[in-house]
């Protein structure tokens, strides 16, 4: 699993943009930590996002 910060670096999209995509339902995290509300994404989600960007 990758945090939103790691994902941002991998796909070169700002954390703010990824958070916005989550808010509008375009790109949902696979897991949200219950106490910290930190978002995590799978390898498959990273690959999907990279494929969309190409």
């Amino acid at each position: 699993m990758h945090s939103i910060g790691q994902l941002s670096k991998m796909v070169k999209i700002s954390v703010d943009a990824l958070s916005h995509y989550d808010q509008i339902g375009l790109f949902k995290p696979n897991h949200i930590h219950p106490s910290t509300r930190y978002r995590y994404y799978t390898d498959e989600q990273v690959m999907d996002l990279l494929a969309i960007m190409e």
Side-chain angles (χ1 to χ4, degrees):
M1 295 257 210
H2 304 281
S3 70
I4 195 168
Q6 293 168 329
L7 177 62
S8 173
K9 290 176 184 176
M10 294 168 77
V11 298
K12 296 179 175 62
I13 296 177
S14 73
V15 170
D16 290 337
L18 291 169
S19 294
H20 178 71
Y21 295 159
D22 179 13
Q23 289 174 356
I24 63 173
L26 187 61
F27 191 68
K28 291 287 186 185
N30 181 271
H31 174 73
I32 300 174
H33 192 276
S35 63
T36 63
R37 307 268 312 142
Y38 215 71
R39 287 146 165 67
Y40 293 96
Y41 301 85
T42 64
D43 290 334
E44 184 176 288
Q45 286 178 297
V46 173
M47 298 308 288
D48 290 345
L49 189 55
L50 287 170
I52 291 168
M53 293 176 57
E54 288 183 0

